[in-house]
C-alpha cells in the first residue's frame, strides 16, 4: 500500500479514495454499492481471538533455576505460546509474546480525535466498522503515527523470580550496534489520583507505578518515583545473529520486595547514544512499542489500543500481574486457540532472513478460527494470500466478509501469511513464508491434510495460481481474485517482470481452478482471466471463470460478497491423494525465476543460489530435467492399479447476482458418471526432457509382491527409481532385454535407455510379503 503524508482526520473529512486490498478506489464505487439496503458493504469486524490456557505438570526445579544476565539464552528454557498478545507460564518463566512489527508509537492528536468519534458511531451500530477503518487504510495500516522503529519492536518478554531477584529478558526485532533499544519497565500497583512523571526522557506519566527502570546494553537503572532515589543493577545485551536480547538481574529490594505478585509494564523505544536515555520521537512520548497488550483489537498491526494510550502519554492500561509463586513452582501451561482472529509468530529459516526492518527470522501470520470449528478434530484449512504492499492482517481485517465466507460458511480455519517485502509476488522468501505458515498453523491446530484450499487477491491471486502449480498435491482447489497470470509488468512504477504461470498450468490437473475477474479492472486487465480460462480449457481441466462486467480491481473487496465462489470451493474441497493420472511440468527457467523472486522487488535470497525445488506431485517425485539449468521436463503418468471413473469434459455456463453485482460464468467440469475402471498391476509413463524420475509405488497402489508391468516412453536416458521396500529378488527386462538394477534404501533403481518400450519386473524369489 502506498502511504501518503496526510492525517486520518483530513482523510475522513475529504476522503475521495478508499483502499481495499492495498489499492485505491473511488468513493463513487462505494456509494453505488451502498445504495441498496441488501448490500453487504457494511459489516462487523472479525473478533480478536483469545487463547485458552491449561495447566500441565509443574517442574519446581526449573522454578529455582538462576538465569544470569550474561547475554546467553541457554538458561531461558520456557516455551512461548506462539500467539501474539498472550502469555503462558512455562518452566519457571512468565513468557509473553508480542505482536510483530507494530512499533509505531502514539497516534497523532487529530487521528485520535477522529478515532474516538468513529468508535462512538461504531458502538451504536457495529456494522459501521468498515466505514471507520477504510480511511485508515488509505493513509497507513497502523494507528500509531510512526515512524516504525524496528529496534524498539518487542518480540518477547520473559520474567523469572529465583531467590531474592527478578530476572528479566526482552527481545526485539532488530538490534545492532547503531540500532539499540531502550527498555522501560514500570513496577508497582499504586492507584494515585495524581500522575507522576516517568524519567529517562520517556515522555510518560503514570498513576500506577512506584518504580521506573531503564534497561540498555550499557546499564540498568531504577528510580523510586516517590523520592527520586536511584540505583544501578546488572544488564547484558546480545545483538548477535537474531538473539537481539537485553537481560537484567534486579534485586527485589530495589523494586519494593514483591513476594506474591509482580505488577509490571514493559515498553521500548530507541536508545539515544549521546545521552544514554530514550530518544525522542516526532509524535508522542519516546515509546514506540508496549508489551502485555492481551486485549488488542484485530487490526493490521494490532496497535489501536497502544496508539491511543501513548497519545495520552501513558502505558498504565498495559500492566500485568506476574504470580511469583507460580514461577517458583515451575508451573507449565499449554495454549489452545478459541474462536476469533489471531496473529501467530513463527521462526523461519536464516537463509531467507535479514536483520533489516521486517525481514528478520521471526515472521507473523494470521489465523482465523470460526466459532463452530472443533479444533480437537482435524479441520479443513484455507491458505489466503494478500495483495501487494499489504501485511498479513490487512485484508482479513478490512474484508471481514471474505474471512467469514472462507471460514464460517465453510467451517474452515483460514491461514493468512505475511510474506516478505512489498511486491513480493509470493515468490522467493515470500513463497517460503507462505508454506512455513501453513506448516506452523498445522502444529497449532489439527489440520486435515485432505481438505486444504488456496485463495488469493490481486498479487495474492497470482500467488494462488503459482502455489497451486508448484504444489499441486497440497491443495484441493484454488481461487484467484483479480489475479495476474504473469508475463508482463503489473506495476509500471516498479518495473517488475512476472513469470507467466501458464508455463506450468499442466500441473493443475488435480486442482480445480476458480477465477474471479472484473471486466473494468485497469490494474489486472480482464484478458488475464480470459487467457487463464482458455489455457485450462485447452488442457481439458476443471475450471470456472466468473466475469463481473462492471467490477474494477477493488469492487470485490468493497462489496465483500462471495456466495458463488464459496459454492464452488465447497464442491471441490477434498484432495484425491491417490489420483490415477498425473501430468507435471518442471521448468528450470521458471523455477529459478521463482526461486530468485525475479518478478518482484524482493532480494532476500543470496544471488545465484538455487534453494527451492519444485519436483513432485503426489506419487510422481524427484523429476529432474536433462538440462538442470535451462531445461524443461514433463511427465504424463498413469497407474492402472487405482480404480477411477472415466471422465468426460462438460462445458458449463450461467449468470447470477452476488451482492447486487451481476456476473456471468463459463468453465469446464468433469462428468464422472461412467463405471469405475478395472485395476491391474501396471503403469504408463511418458517423459520429455527428463533424466531422472521417482515413482512412489505405495501412492500408485502398485503391489511389489506381484509382477509389475510399465509402459515407458522417454526422450532421454532415464534413471527410474521405484520407491518401496522390495523384499524379494526380481528380474527386470525392458524391450525383452535384461537390465541391471540396484537397491537404494530398499528402492529399485533402473536405468532405462531413451526409447519407447515395456518394462517388466518378475519375481525370482517370492519370499516376504507386503
Amino acid at each position: 500500500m502506498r502511504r501518503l503524508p496526510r492525517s486520518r482526520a483530513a482523510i475522513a473529512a475529504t476522503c475521495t479514495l478508499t483502499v481495499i486490498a492495498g489499492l485505491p478506489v473511488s468513493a463513487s464505487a462505494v456509494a453505488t454499492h451502498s445504495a441498496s439496503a441488501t448490500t453487504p458493504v457494511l459489516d462487523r469486524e472479525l473478533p480478536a481471538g483469545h487463547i485458552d490456557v491449561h495447566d500441565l505438570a509443574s517442574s519446581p526445579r526449573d522454578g529455582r533455576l538462576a538465569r544470569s544476565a550474561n547475554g546467553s539464552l541457554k538458561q531461558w528454557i520456557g516455551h512461548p505460546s506462539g500467539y501474539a498478545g498472550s502469555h503462558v507460564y512455562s518452566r519457571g518463566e512468565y513468557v509473553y509474546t508480542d505482536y510483530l512489527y507494530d512499533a509505531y508509537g502514539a497516534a497523532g492528536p487529530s487521528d485520535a480525535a477522529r478515532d474516538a468519534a468513529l468508535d462512538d458511531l461504531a458502538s451504536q451500530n457495529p456494522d459501521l466498522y468498515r466505514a471507520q477503518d477504510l480511511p485508515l487504510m488509505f493513509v497507513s495500516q497502523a494507528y500509531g503515527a510512526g515512524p516504525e522503529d524496528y529496534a524498539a519492536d518487542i518480540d518477547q518478554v520473559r520474567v523469572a523470580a529465583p531467590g531474592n531477584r527478578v530476572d528479566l529478558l526482552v527481545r526485539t526485532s532488530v538490534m545492532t550496534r547503531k540500532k539499540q533499544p531502550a527498555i522501560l519497565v514500570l513496577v508497582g500497583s499504586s492507584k494515585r489520583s495524581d500522575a507522576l512523571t516517568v524519567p529517562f526522557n520517556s515522555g510518560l506519566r503514570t498513576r500506577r507505578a512506584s518504580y521506573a527502570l531503564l534497561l540498555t546494553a550499557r546499564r540498568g537503572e531504577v528510580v523510586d518515583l516517590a523520592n527520586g532515589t536511584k540505583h544501578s543493577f546488572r544488564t547484558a545485551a546480545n545483538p548477535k545473529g537474531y538473539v537481539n536480547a537485553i537481560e537484567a538481574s534486579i534485586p527485589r529490594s530495589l523494586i519494593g520486595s514483591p513476594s506474591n505478585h509482580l505488577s509490571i509494564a514493559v515498553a521500548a523505544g530507541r536508545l539515544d547514544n549521546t545521552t544514554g536515555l530514550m530518544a525522542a520521537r516526532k509524535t508522542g512520548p519516546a515509546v514506540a512499542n508496549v508489551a502485555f497488550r492481551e486485549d488488542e483489537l484485530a487490526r493490521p498491526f494490532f496497535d489501536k489500543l497502544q496508539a491511543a494510550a501513548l497519545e495520552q502519554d501513558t502505558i498504565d492500561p498495559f500492566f500485568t500481574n506476574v504470580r511469583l509463586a507460580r514461577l517458583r513452582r515451575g508451573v507449565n501451561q499449554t495454549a489452545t486457540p478459541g474462536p476469533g482472529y489471531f496473529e501467530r509468530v513463527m521462526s523461519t529459516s536464516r537463509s531467507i532472513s535479514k536483520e533489516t526492518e521486517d525481514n528478520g527470522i521471526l515472521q507473523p501470520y494470521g489465523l482465523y478460527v470460526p466459532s463452530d470449528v472443533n479444533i480437537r478434530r482435524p479441520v479443513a484449512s484455507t491458505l489466503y494470500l494478500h495483495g501487494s504492499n499489504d501485511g498479513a492482517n490487512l485484508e482479513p481485517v478490512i474484508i471481514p466478509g471474505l474471512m467469514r465466507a472462507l471460514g464460517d460458511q465453510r467451517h474452515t480455519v483460514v491461514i493468512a501469511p505475511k510474506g516478505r517485502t512489498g511486491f513480493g509476488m509470493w515468490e522467493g522468501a515470500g513463497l517460503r513464508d507462505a508454506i512455513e505458515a501453513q506448516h506452523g498453523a498445522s502444529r497449532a491446530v489439527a489440520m486435515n491434510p485432505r481438505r486444504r484450499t488456496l485463495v488469493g487477491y490481486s498479487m495474492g491471486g497470482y500467488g494462488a495460481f503459482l502455489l497451486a502449480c508448484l504444489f499441486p498435491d497440497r491443495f484441493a482447489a484454488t481461487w484467484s481474485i483479480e489475479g495476474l497470470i504473469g508475463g508482463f509488468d503489473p506495476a509500471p512504477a516498479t518495473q517488475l517482470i512476472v513469470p507467466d504461470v501458464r508455463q506450468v498450468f499442466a500441473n493443475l490437473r488435480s486442482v480445480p481452478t476458480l477465477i474471479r475477474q472484473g471486466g473494468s479492472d485497469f490494474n489486472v486487465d480482464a484478458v488475464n482471466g480470459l487467457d487463464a480460462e482458455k489455457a485450462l480449457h485447452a488442457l481439458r481441466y476443471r475450471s470456472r471463470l466468473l466475469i463481473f462486467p462492471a467490477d474494477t480491481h477493488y469492487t470485490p473487496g468493497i462489496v465483500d460478497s462471495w456466495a458463488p465462489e464459496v459454492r464452488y470451493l465447497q464442491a471441490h474441497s477434498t484432495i484425491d491423494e491417490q489420483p490415477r493420472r498425473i501430468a507435471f511440468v518442471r521448468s528450470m527457467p521458471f523455477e529459478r525465476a521463482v526461486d530468485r523472486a525475479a518478478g518482484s522487488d524482493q532480494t532476500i535470497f543470496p544471488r545465484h543460489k538455487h534453494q527451492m525445488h519444485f519436483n513432485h506431485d503426489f506419487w510422481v517425485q524427484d523429476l529432474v530435467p536433462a538440462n538442470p539449468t535451462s531445461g524443461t521436463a514433463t511427465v504424463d503418468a498413469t497407474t492402472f492399479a487405482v480404480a477411477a471413473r472415466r471422465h468426460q469434459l462438460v462445458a458449463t455456463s450461467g449468470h447470477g447476482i452476488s451482492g447486487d453485482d451481476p456476473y456471468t460464468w463459463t468453465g469446464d467440469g468433469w462428468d464422472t458418471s461412467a463405471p469405475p475402471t478395472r485395476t491391474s498391476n501396471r503403469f504408463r509413463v511418458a517423459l520429455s526432457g527428463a533424466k531422472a524420475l521417482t515413482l512412489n509405488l505405495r501412492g500408485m497402489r502398485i503391489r511389489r509382491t506381484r509382477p509389475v508391468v510399465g509402459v515407458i516412453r522417454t526422450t532421454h536416458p532415464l534413471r527410474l527409481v521405484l520407491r518401496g521396500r522390495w523384499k524379494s529378488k526380481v528380474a527386470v527386462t525392458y524391450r525383452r532385454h535384461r537390465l541391471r538394477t540396484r537397491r537404494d534404501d530398499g528402492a529399485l533403481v533402473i536405468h532405462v535407455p531413451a526409447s519407447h518400450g515395456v518394462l517388466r519386473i518378475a519375481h525370482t524369489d517370492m519370499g516376504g510379503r507386503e
Side-chain angles (χ1 to χ4, degrees):
M1 171 180 307
R2 302 304 180 192
R3 300 176 185 169
L4 303 181
R6 300 176 62 191
S7 72
R8 294 202 300 275
I11 292 295
T14 61
C15 184
T16 57
L17 293 175
T18 303
V19 165
I20 287 289
L23 294 164
V25 60
S26 65
S28 61
V30 181
T32 299
H33 290 285
S34 298
S36 170
T38 62
T39 181
V41 170
L42 300 181
D43 201 356
R44 302 190 177 197
E45 65 182 293
L46 290 179
H50 292 277
I51 64 170
D52 296 322
V53 177
H54 307 280
D55 286 355
L56 304 174
S58 299
S59 50
R61 180 180 298 180
D62 294 334
R64 296 190 295 269
L65 177 65
R67 294 159 176 81
S68 303
N70 57 13
S72 173
L73 298 184
K74 293 182 179 180
Q75 295 177 325
W76 293 92
I77 56 177
H79 301 291
S81 70
Y83 295 91
S86 71
H87 79 271
V88 290
Y89 288 89
S90 178
R91 305 190 67 179
E93 299 172 14
Y94 177 98
V95 186
Y96 168 78
T97 303
D98 195 40
Y99 303 99
L100 289 179
Y101 312 127
D102 61 331
Y104 285 92
S110 59
D111 293 337
R114 166 199 173 272
D115 293 338
L118 291 177
D119 284 345
D120 184 59
L121 290 175
S123 67
Q124 299 175 43
N125 183 356
D127 285 342
L128 292 176
Y129 158 74
R130 296 185 76 210
Q132 173 185 7
D133 275 358
L134 290 180
L136 170 90
M137 296 302 102
F138 177 59
V139 183
S140 170
Q141 297 174 18
Y143 276 80
E148 184 173 12
D149 193 339
Y150 296 97
D153 180 54
I154 298 173
D155 292 336
Q156 197 176 99
V157 178
R158 295 178 182 239
V159 181
N164 61 354
R165 303 197 322 265
V166 171
D167 292 342
L168 187 65
L169 170 76
V170 180
R171 300 182 70 178
T172 61
S173 297
V174 173
M175 186 184 297
T176 64
R177 291 183 178 180
K178 294 182 179 180
K179 297 179 180 179
Q180 287 283 326
I183 307 301
L184 177 71
V185 180
L186 299 184
V187 177
S189 56
S190 302
K191 293 186 178 180
R192 305 181 187 86
S193 59
D194 59 326
L196 298 179
T197 298
V198 179
F200 312 123
N201 194 42
S202 68
L204 296 174
R205 295 175 65 80
T206 180
R207 288 183 170 87
R208 293 195 57 175
S210 300
Y211 301 90
L213 297 80
L214 183 68
L215 282 60
T216 70
R218 301 177 184 179
R219 64 191 177 106
E221 184 176 85
V222 56
V223 176
D224 187 327
L225 297 180
N227 54 34
T229 303
K230 299 180 181 180
H231 295 281
S232 298
F233 54 88
R234 183 179 177 184
T235 64
N238 187 347
K240 295 181 179 179
Y242 293 95
V243 175
N244 298 344
I246 290 182
E247 293 179 278
S249 292
I250 307 162
R252 291 195 200 180
S253 60
L254 298 184
I255 53 175
S257 301
S259 58
N260 297 319
H261 297 270
L262 176 65
S263 183
I264 184 174
V266 175
R270 179 72 70 89
L271 175 66
D272 186 325
N273 290 309
T274 302
T275 65
L277 303 175
M278 303 186 79
R281 291 176 57 82
K282 293 181 179 180
T283 301
V287 168
N289 198 195
V290 185
F292 310 131
R293 301 182 350 259
E294 303 194 12
D295 294 317
E296 278 283 6
L297 307 174
R299 295 296 187 271
F301 289 99
F302 283 84
D303 74 325
K304 183 173 183 177
L305 300 185
Q306 169 182 274
L310 290 177
E311 195 274 332
Q312 297 296 316
D313 300 332
T314 184
I315 61 172
D316 283 356
F318 308 114
F319 271 77
T320 190
N321 285 316
V322 181
R323 299 169 65 180
L324 302 183
R326 306 208 91 193
L327 297 181
R328 288 191 291 267
R329 293 202 310 269
V331 170
N332 289 302
Q333 295 179 324
T334 183
T336 56
Y341 188 80
F342 299 86
E343 179 176 285
R344 287 272 298 173
V345 178
M346 64 179 180
S347 181
T348 60
S349 171
R350 289 175 177 266
S351 66
I352 60 173
S353 303
K354 288 183 178 180
E355 196 162 358
T356 57
E357 297 184 344
D358 56 355
N359 293 315
I361 195 170
L362 294 179
Q363 290 294 314
Y365 65 90
L367 181 69
Y368 179 57
V369 180
S371 58
D372 61 349
V373 167
N374 183 359
I375 62 170
R376 294 179 178 83
R377 298 178 179 179
V379 298
S381 61
T382 294
L383 186 67
Y384 175 76
L385 306 181
H386 64 70
S388 61
N389 278 334
D390 295 348
N393 309 318
L394 176 63
E395 291 170 43
V397 168
I398 217 65
I399 312 179
L402 179 56
M403 290 302 105
R404 291 192 176 96
L406 296 175
D408 299 80
Q409 295 179 31
R410 300 179 56 237
H411 313 291
T412 297
V413 169
V414 183
I415 307 160
K418 172 181 176 292
R420 314 276 174 126
T421 74
F423 283 94
M425 301 307 299
W426 295 104
E427 303 170 283
L431 186 151
R432 284 276 292 274
D433 283 341
I435 296 303
E436 290 187 17
Q438 192 175 48
H439 284 313
S442 66
R443 290 190 291 269
V445 177
M447 303 288 186
N448 186 337
R450 294 192 62 202
R451 294 178 61 82
R452 296 186 295 204
T453 49
L454 174 64
V455 178
Y457 194 154
S458 187
M459 182 185 79
Y462 176 80
F465 284 133
L466 179 66
L467 269 68
C469 290
L470 298 179
F471 305 101
D473 54 359
R474 192 181 294 267
F475 304 104
T478 187
W479 169 22
S480 174
I481 308 169
E482 309 295 333
L484 304 162
I485 56 174
F488 68 97
D489 185 356
T494 57
Q495 297 298 307
L496 307 179
I497 304 300
V498 180
D500 192 331
V501 290
R502 288 175 296 179
Q503 299 176 63
V504 288
F505 259 18
N507 300 356
L508 295 175
R509 178 178 178 81
S510 299
V511 188
T513 302
L514 176 64
I515 305 163
R516 174 164 177 159
Q517 179 66 59
S520 301
D521 189 339
F522 298 104
N523 293 77
V524 176
D525 194 276
V527 71
N528 279 263
L530 296 170
D531 285 351
E533 170 62 19
K534 180 180 178 180
L536 292 167
H537 175 75
L539 291 165
R540 303 179 66 80
Y541 287 176
R542 291 165 293 176
S543 62
R544 179 167 293 181
L545 170 64
L546 307 181
I547 291 287
F548 289 75
D551 277 12
T552 68
H553 192 69
Y554 328 102
T555 309
I558 296 171
V559 178
D560 204 16
S561 180
W562 316 94
E565 295 92 335
V566 168
R567 288 195 294 269
Y568 188 86
L569 292 183
Q570 285 291 78
H572 303 89
S573 59
T574 304
I575 297 173
D576 179 6
E577 293 186 304
Q578 290 185 311
R580 180 181 174 91
R581 181 180 175 186
I582 290 175
F584 190 76
V585 177
R586 186 183 183 191
S587 166
M588 296 311 295
F590 183 85
E591 180 172 304
R592 290 177 180 274
V594 172
D595 190 51
R596 297 193 312 270
S600 76
D601 62 354
Q602 185 192 117
T603 56
I604 302 296
F605 274 168
R607 291 185 178 182
H608 313 300
K609 188 173 182 180
H610 190 192
Q611 296 201 15
M612 292 189 291
H613 306 274
F614 312 109
N615 58 3
H616 65 274
D617 182 4
F618 294 103
W619 42 266
V620 168
Q621 301 168 353
D622 301 327
L623 178 65
V624 181
N627 186 330
T629 302
S630 58
T632 296
T634 65
V635 57
D636 189 342
T638 301
T639 171
F640 297 98
V642 172
R645 297 179 184 273
R646 290 189 176 91
H647 66 261
Q648 181 178 359
L649 194 70
V650 177
T652 58
S653 62
H655 59 85
I657 297 178
S658 177
D660 294 339
D661 206 1
Y663 67 93
T664 61
W665 57 271
T666 59
D668 296 307
W670 284 354
D671 181 352
T672 57
S673 59
T677 57
R678 299 180 62 181
T679 62
S680 61
N681 214 40
R682 301 183 301 118
F683 67 88
R684 181 175 59 210
V685 178
L687 298 116
S688 175
K691 69 176 182 180
L693 175 68
T694 296
L695 298 178
N696 187 322
L697 298 187
R698 184 175 182 178
M700 300 170 72
R701 295 187 182 177
I702 295 290
R703 301 191 66 176
R704 299 181 299 279
T705 55
R706 295 181 178 180
V708 179
V709 177
V711 178
I712 299 175
R713 182 192 298 272
T714 176
T715 60
H716 290 74
L718 179 70
R719 180 180 183 269
L720 178 64
V721 179
L722 301 181
R723 179 167 294 166
R725 295 283 181 178
W726 293 84
K727 297 180 180 180
S728 60
K729 295 181 180 180
V730 296
V732 178
T733 60
Y734 180 68
R735 301 181 70 179
R736 299 184 179 181
H737 296 286
R738 185 76 174 263
L739 294 182
R740 297 181 62 182
T741 63
R742 66 181 180 86
R743 306 290 178 91
D744 185 358
D745 193 25
L748 193 64
V749 181
I750 307 170
H751 291 274
V752 180
S755 59
H756 179 202
V758 178
L759 179 78
R760 300 181 185 274
I761 303 175
H763 293 267
T764 59
D765 175 11
M766 291 303 295
R769 300 177 65 86
E770 270 198 336

